[in-house]
Amino acid sequence: MSVDDRPTLSAPDDDPWLWLEEVEGTRALDFVERQNGLTLDKFGGPAFERDRDTLAAIYDRPDNIPYVSRSDGLLYNLWKDASHPRGLWRRTAIAEFRKSDPSWETLLDIDQLAAAEGEDWLLNWSSSLPGKAPQTMLSLSRGGSDAVTLREFDLNTKSFVAGGFTLPEAKGGAIWVDPDTLLLSSALGEGMATTSGYARTVRLWRRGEPVEQARVVFETTSDRMSAYCDVDRTGAAPRVLFNDRQDFFNFDVWLGSERGATVKLDLPSDIWLQLHGDWIAVKLRSAWTVGGVTHAADTVLGISLSAFLAGKRDFAVIFPPSPRRALQGLFWAKGRLVLSILDELRPVFEICTPSSAGWSRERLHGLPAIGVVDVWRFDSHESESNGDLLANVQDPLTPPSLMLIEPDVASPTVLKQAPRTFNAHGLVVTQHEATSIDGDRIPYVQTGPAGETGDAPVYMSAYGGFGLSVKPYYNSGLGKLWLERGGTTVQANLRGGGEFGTRWHDAGRLAGKRLSHDDFAAVAADLVRRGVTRAKRIAAQGGSNGGILITNMLTRYPERFGALFCTIPLIDMRRYTKLLAGASWIAEYGDPDKVEEWEWLKTYSAYHNARPGQPYPPILIATTRRDDRVHPGHARKMAAKLQAMGYEAYFYEPAAGGHGYGKDNKERAGFEVLGFRFLKDKIGWQDGEA
C-alpha cells in the first residue's frame, strides 16, 4: 500500500479505502485474512493459547452464577460452558435453584440445533405469554448479529411448532397479544425499515396468515429511528403502548389496543416512561413546565393515568435530582416503583408506592452502600410479579453475589455466589478525581497494588456516551491476566455518561464529545502526576462508542499512552450515518450532512485527522464480521490508513461475534487475550515483573 492522506478535512468523502466497507467483498476479505494472519503471528503462539484457555476455563466454570428470570413460577436460564459453547436454554423451580447443584430441565440445546441445521445459531431472546401458555417466540441470530430469525417454540413439547409463526432474518421483535396473535415490529419486507435499519411499522400478525398480509396498525416515517410496541397487562384489561421513536433520546407514546393507537400521551418526548395499572411515572431529560410548576431535568414525576387522561396535571415529585445524585433507572414490581440511584457514585435504591393519599417512600435496605449493586424485577412479566426483586452485588475485588429481595423479608437472601477467579491478595480499590481541561472533576476507580511505584503497568478503560454509567464490576479477565500478575486497572467516568445525570451526558454529547476525550486524557495525566506510572506504561482500551475515544487518544493525545486497543469501534464520523444503524446515533454525535454539525464532528473524526509523521503509539483495532450495528468498515479502514502512513497498527476480525467479542466463551476469551498480549508487549511489561 502507498502512503495516502485521504480522506482529508477538505474532501472527507474522497476515501481510497471505501472498498473495505463491502463486508463480504472478495478484496475486503483478502485484506482481513492477511491482517488476521499478521496479528496472530505476532501476538499468538503458546503464551496466547495458554492465557486464552485459562480465561475460557474461568468463563466455563460450572459454579458460575446461572442468571435467571421467572415466568409462570419457573426460572429460565441460558447457560454456556465448554460442552455447550452456544448454550443450553433450560428451566428449573426456585426450590431447586436454591440448591448448590440444581437439576435443570433442558428446553433447547443450541449446539445441537446449529449442527442439525448447519447454521451459526445463537439464541438472542425469547418472548412468551404470561401464565401457563406454552407459546414462545425465540429469536435466533447468526453469529450474534442484531438481525434475528423468529420461530415459534412450544414449551410443553420442547420443540418448534410445525406451521407456527416463523419470520426470516431481520432486525426487530414480536409481542404476544393472545395465543394466536402477535404484534410484529420488524424491518422485514419492502418499505418496512427506517434509514437506521429498524422496524418502521407494527403489524398485527394472526396465526396462519402470511406475514405479507399482516395489517399495519402503527407506523412512523422512514427518517425516524423505529416503531415498536409493548403489551401491558397490569390494568383492568390488556393495553398496547406504541412508541414512535424519533431518535435515541426522543419518542412519542400512544395508548391503544392491538387494533392500533387511540390516544397520544401529552408528555415531553425526551422522557423515560413507566406505566403500571392506573399510575405512570415519568423521568424528565429536560426541564418541563406543567400545571404551573417548572420541574428540573432528571426529576421523576408521578400521576394517576386516568386523572392525566382526564386533563389533570398535578404531578407528584417522586425523585428530585441534585448535581451529583442521579437516577439510573426505574421499574415497577407489584405496584411499587423501584428507583435506582447513584449518589456520588454510591448505589442507593428507593421504593415508592402510589395511593390516593399520595406517594410513600422507603429505602431498600440490606444492600451495600459501596461497590456495584444492580437490582431488577425477578419476574419477566410485570403482571405476574409478587414484588420479588433480584440484586447483583460486587466490586473489582469481590465476585458477584445474586440475592433475592422479598417484600416482607427483612434482609436479602443470597441465592448464588460467584467463585473467586483470581488472587486479590495485596490489591486495593481506591477512588480519585482528575481535573479536565475545563476544570471539571472527572472520577475514576483504580484497582491494583497499594502504593505508587511510578512505573505500574496500567490498563485504562472508559466509555463516555449515550448517558450510560460505567461501574467498577468484578472482571475475571482483567483480574486473572492483569491484576493477579502485578498490574493496575483504571476505569474512568467520563462526561457523556450518565453517572451524574443529563448535565453530565450533555456535556459530552454532540460538540461536547471532544470534552469526553479530554476527560480520559486528563485521567491518564493524573496517574502520572500522582506517581502511579509513566505515560509509556499506560495501555488503554475502549469499544463501540469507546472506539471514537481510543482513536482520539491516538491522534490528539499520543504522548499520554504506550499502547491502544480499539474494539468494535465507531471511527469514521463522516460516513457513520450511512453505515448500518449509524443514523440512529445522530442525537448523540450530530449529522455530518449538516455543514454546521460537520464542523464539530470533523474535530473528533480520527479517520480524517490521522496524519503521517506523528508520535502515535502502537494500536490494535479489532472488530467482528457479524457486527451489524457498528459497521466493521470503520475498523478496517482506520487500520489500512494507519498502515499506509507507516504506523504500527494491527488489525483483527473474527468471523462471528456480533457487536461483541465472540459467539462463545472461548472466542470471547481469545479476543480479549489477544488485546492483553498486544498491550503488554507494547508497554514493555513482562507478566509478573510488577
Side-chain angles (χ1 to χ4, degrees):
M1 297 178 183
S2 60
V3 175
D4 194 330
D5 291 349
R6 296 178 299 161
T8 65
L9 292 178
S10 59
D13 291 323
D14 183 15
D15 189 348
W17 311 109
L18 205 61
W19 53 274
L20 285 168
E21 291 181 5
E22 191 176 346
V23 177
E24 301 288 347
T26 301
R27 186 182 176 196
L29 291 182
D30 286 345
F31 169 87
V32 170
E33 184 177 358
R34 184 171 65 255
Q35 294 290 329
N36 283 351
L38 292 170
T39 300
L40 290 171
D41 284 347
K42 181 74 173 177
F43 305 106
F48 162 80
E49 294 170 0
R50 178 199 67 212
D51 286 350
R52 178 201 61 199
D53 293 346
T54 295
L55 192 52
I58 290 174
Y59 294 156
D60 285 332
R61 285 182 62 137
D63 54 351
N64 286 330
I65 294 177
Y67 289 97
V68 292
S69 62
R70 187 167 59 190
S71 181
D72 189 31
L74 294 174
L75 280 55
Y76 290 78
N77 163 258
L78 179 63
W79 177 260
K80 295 182 179 182
D81 58 26
S83 300
H84 310 93
R86 296 176 185 273
L88 286 176
W89 189 43
R90 58 189 191 169
R91 65 184 177 186
T92 192
I94 182 65
E96 189 69 27
F97 184 74
R98 291 177 184 270
K99 298 177 181 179
S100 59
D101 186 19
S103 175
W104 294 87
E105 176 190 6
T106 297
L107 298 169
L108 182 64
D109 186 321
I110 314 301
D111 294 273
Q112 287 184 5
L113 178 69
E117 299 188 352
E119 292 282 4
D120 191 18
W121 289 134
L122 294 175
L123 179 63
N124 272 23
W125 49 261
S126 63
S127 174
S128 63
L129 271 166
K132 297 184 182 299
Q135 292 89 348
T136 298
M137 290 301 292
L138 298 187
S139 74
L140 298 166
S141 80
R142 292 180 174 86
S145 63
D146 287 350
V148 295
T149 295
L150 302 182
R151 292 166 69 174
E152 186 179 2
F153 188 85
D154 189 305
L155 293 172
N156 291 340
T157 63
K158 303 175 194 173
S159 62
F160 290 105
V161 177
F165 289 107
T166 303
L167 195 74
E169 186 177 63
K171 290 186 178 182
I175 300 290
W176 290 98
V177 175
D178 58 47
D180 295 311
T181 314
L182 290 168
L183 283 169
L184 178 68
S185 305
S186 173
L188 181 75
E190 185 69 27
M192 293 296 175
T194 64
T195 54
S196 297
Y198 297 110
R200 192 186 64 79
T201 67
V202 177
R203 288 172 274 182
L204 187 66
W205 191 15
R206 301 188 186 280
R207 186 174 299 281
E209 180 181 51
V211 69
E212 297 81 9
Q213 296 177 16
R215 184 166 65 91
V216 173
V217 295
F218 187 77
E219 62 184 310
T220 189
T221 54
S222 61
D223 60 335
R224 299 241 177 167
M225 182 175 169
S226 65
Y228 60 98
C229 69
D230 194 14
V231 177
D232 174 74
R233 292 181 169 87
T234 63
R239 55 198 169 190
V240 180
L241 278 78
F242 293 96
N243 289 268
D244 179 356
R245 192 166 189 175
Q246 303 168 30
D247 57 39
F248 219 88
F249 310 113
N250 292 272
F251 56 91
D252 297 325
V253 182
W254 298 70
L255 280 178
S257 69
E258 71 274 14
R259 293 180 296 278
T262 54
V263 179
K264 181 182 178 183
L265 296 185
D266 181 23
L267 293 167
S269 63
D270 58 344
I271 58 168
W272 297 350
L273 173 68
Q274 289 289 322
L275 181 149
H276 180 94
D278 190 42
W279 297 97
I280 57 172
V282 176
K283 182 262 186 186
L284 305 178
R285 195 179 184 283
S286 55
W288 185 35
T289 300
V290 62
V293 180
T294 298
H295 301 283
D298 293 335
T299 302
V300 178
L301 304 174
I303 195 171
S304 157
L305 176 62
S306 56
F308 178 80
L309 293 175
K312 297 256 180 100
R313 294 297 182 266
D314 51 341
F315 284 90
V317 175
I318 303 172
F319 172 80
S322 59
R324 292 173 77 87
R325 176 181 166 91
L327 190 79
Q328 303 298 299
L330 69 167
F331 62 88
W332 290 95
K334 200 184 179 183
R336 304 189 307 165
L337 184 68
V338 182
L339 305 181
S340 171
I341 301 161
L342 279 182
D343 188 346
E344 291 285 359
L345 300 181
R346 295 187 300 269
V348 175
F349 295 89
E350 294 181 353
I351 297 178
C352 303
T353 306
S355 71
S356 58
W359 291 71
S360 65
R361 179 190 308 272
E362 62 180 309
R363 186 86 168 259
L364 193 57
H365 296 290
L367 298 171
I370 58 173
V372 179
V373 183
D374 295 314
V375 174
W376 63 97
R377 187 178 61 242
F378 197 170
D379 296 278
S380 300
H381 300 290
E382 193 175 329
S383 58
E384 292 185 336
S385 175
N386 66 353
D388 286 352
L389 306 175
L390 291 178
N392 206 28
V393 178
Q394 61 195 293
D395 65 44
L397 300 179
T398 307
S401 295
L402 181 65
M403 298 180 173
L404 173 63
I405 305 171
E406 299 171 281
D408 300 320
V409 178
S411 58
T413 303
V414 176
L415 293 175
K416 298 291 176 184
Q417 173 72 57
R420 293 186 179 274
T421 56
F422 62 90
N423 182 1
H425 179 72
L427 302 179
V428 296
V429 181
T430 54
Q431 188 165 327
H432 309 271
E433 287 186 338
T435 302
S436 194
I437 195 169
D438 63 345
D440 215 336
R441 296 178 294 147
I442 311 304
Y444 64 95
V445 174
Q446 177 178 321
T447 306
E452 288 78 35
T453 65
D455 201 43
V458 173
Y459 182 101
M460 278 186 68
S461 63
Y463 186 73
F466 293 93
L468 298 178
S469 299
V470 169
K471 300 177 184 179
Y473 290 100
Y474 187 83
N475 187 310
S476 294
L478 281 173
K480 188 67 178 178
L481 302 180
W482 202 277
L483 291 173
E484 186 178 281
R485 296 179 182 181
T488 295
T489 64
V490 169
Q491 190 175 68
N493 300 105
L494 312 181
R495 283 174 288 188
E499 290 86 347
F500 301 126
T502 298
R503 71 166 186 91
W504 195 251
H505 175 207
D506 282 351
R509 188 167 71 100
L510 301 174
K513 188 62 66 179
R514 278 176 62 91
L515 271 179
S516 178
H517 305 157
D518 294 330
D519 295 348
F520 194 68
V523 172
D526 199 58
L527 294 172
V528 176
R529 181 193 63 80
R530 289 178 43 234
V532 176
T533 190
R534 52 191 172 89
K536 292 301 182 184
R537 295 281 269 182
I538 300 178
Q541 182 270 334
S544 194
N545 169 78
I548 310 175
L549 168 70
I550 293 300
T551 52
N552 271 265
M553 294 307 99
L554 182 83
T555 58
R556 296 184 59 215
Y557 290 100
E559 73 284 354
R560 298 195 185 183
F561 300 91
L564 300 169
F565 183 31
C566 179
T567 62
I568 50 175
L570 188 65
I571 303 174
D572 180 351
M573 303 311 293
R574 176 63 187 182
R575 287 186 52 76
Y576 86 92
T577 58
K578 299 173 176 64
L579 301 173
L580 297 175
S584 66
W585 310 321
I586 287 176
E588 178 72 14
Y589 304 118
D591 187 347
D593 290 334
K594 294 180 178 178
V595 174
E596 67 277 12
E597 297 186 15
W598 173 239
E599 285 302 308
W600 76 60
L601 278 161
K602 70 184 182 183
T603 68
Y604 58 82
S605 184
Y607 184 58
H608 298 91
N609 294 324
R611 295 183 291 121
Q614 304 302 306
Y616 294 166
I619 186 170
L620 169 59
I621 306 174
T623 185
T624 78
R625 198 166 315 147
R626 291 296 299 182
D627 189 346
D628 56 353
R629 191 181 312 172
V630 178
H631 197 290
H634 286 277
R636 293 173 176 182
K637 295 196 304 178
M638 189 67 178
K641 183 174 183 180
L642 290 172
Q643 290 173 1
M645 289 179 173
Y647 291 112
E648 188 176 4
Y650 299 89
F651 178 80
Y652 178 63
E653 181 188 297
H659 193 57
Y661 288 178
K663 68 174 181 284
D664 57 41
N665 289 336
K666 188 171 184 178
E667 284 190 6
R668 173 187 163 201
F671 194 107
E672 292 178 309
V673 168
L674 191 65
F676 293 151
R677 300 301 306 175
F678 162 78
L679 293 173
K680 289 179 179 182
D681 181 83
K682 295 309 170 185
I683 64 171
W685 180 36
Q686 300 298 317
D687 283 347
E689 74 170 46

